[in-house]
Amino acid sequence: KQWYQRRVAITAGGYVLAKMEEEPDDIPHGHITSLAVKRSNRRLGLAKKLMDQASRAMVENFGAKYVSLHVRKSNRAALALYKTVLKFAVDDIEPKYYADGEDAYAMKKDLGNLLEQVETTREHLRCLGKRSHKNALEQRTPIKENGKLHIDTSKEEEEFEKKIGELNLSNVDPNICDNLCPGK
């Protein structure tokens, strides 16, 4: 059985339609179904921004390891964009992939660096949040129970960890937290 989640990123000048594919015995990966940029908006970096946004969403939300797409062998402009600007590599040739009988290049891009970047950013935010959370807890009035003062924070810490894991990091600069965590 194939499970998929579609996501569309749209701007005034273009769109990308992407999905997540996850076979039970396969590595989680995304697939670009369609990418289009209005002719008057081409060569402005819009396709790269759309593809970067889609790739980041695949990594953040589903842990995608790579992203794939198909392109007509005759589409030299798209092939050049995918190879040179977006850093995709030809993985295979799919004979008669299109309804008119034309072959397609099956292309892939490894998302390992992006996955690592997302995890590092999450860890930095976790570190910053724990520091901030600890300061907030220290300012709370302790509870007196059985003659002893204490603060039960286990549930709050669990909720905090859950919230960090659910963060959408699309708009977070990965370099913003470089000096927050000692030893990083």
Side-chain angles (χ1 to χ4, degrees), residues 68-82:
S68 64
L69 58 81
H70 291 93
V71 63
R72 287 179 178 272
K73 283 182 76 176
S74 64
N75 192 343
R76 292 185 312 217
L79 189 58
L81 170 73
Y82 296 137

Side-chain angles (χ1 to χ4, degrees), residues 4-163:
Y4 65 93
Q5 171 73 32
R6 291 191 183 268
R7 179 182 172 110
V8 180
I10 302 173
T11 69
Y15 73 88
V16 62
L17 178 60
K19 66 180 182 176
M20 249 334 265
E21 294 189 290
E22 199 174 312
E23 297 288 334
D25 300 332
D26 203 5
I27 298 168
H29 64 281
H31 184 79
I32 303 300
T33 306
S34 181
L35 172 67
V37 174
K38 193 174 171 183
R39 214 174 281 283
S40 60
N41 291 334
R42 291 184 183 166
R43 296 192 163 277
L44 299 175
L46 188 55
K48 180 164 177 28
K49 287 184 184 205
L50 287 166
M51 293 289 275
D52 287 350
Q53 183 182 6
S55 296
R56 189 168 188 93
M58 290 174 195
V59 168
E60 283 181 10
N61 297 307
F62 302 103
K65 307 291 187 226
Y66 68 91
V67 62
S68 64
L69 58 81
H70 291 93
V71 63
R72 287 179 178 272
K73 283 182 76 176
S74 64
N75 192 343
R76 292 185 312 217
L79 189 58
L81 170 73
Y82 296 137
K83 279 183 168 182
T84 59
V85 177
L86 301 175
K87 307 301 182 202
F88 277 78
V90 174
D91 185 56
D92 199 4
I93 296 174
E94 302 226 9
K96 299 181 182 176
Y97 179 81
Y98 292 99
D100 63 3
E102 185 174 353
D103 297 348
Y105 288 117
M107 302 184 82
K108 280 186 181 180
K109 179 180 180 179
D110 180 60
L111 297 177
N113 289 342
L114 186 56
L115 186 59
E116 193 175 298
Q117 182 184 38
V118 165
E119 288 306 315
T120 300
T121 303
R122 277 206 168 107
E123 186 55 39
H124 286 315
L125 290 173
R126 189 174 283 114
C127 181
L128 175 62
K130 280 184 179 178
R131 207 184 306 169
S132 175
H133 187 64
K134 182 180 175 189
N135 290 341
L137 290 176
E138 287 172 354
Q139 293 174 10
R140 284 181 41 193
T141 307
I143 300 168
K144 196 170 194 178
E145 195 175 283
N146 296 332
K148 294 183 180 179
L149 295 176
H150 71 87
I151 298 174
D152 181 16
T153 61
S154 57
K155 185 175 181 181
E156 289 178 14
E157 287 175 6
E158 187 178 307
E159 286 178 22
F160 173 77
E161 286 295 325
K162 183 179 176 190
K163 286 179 183 176

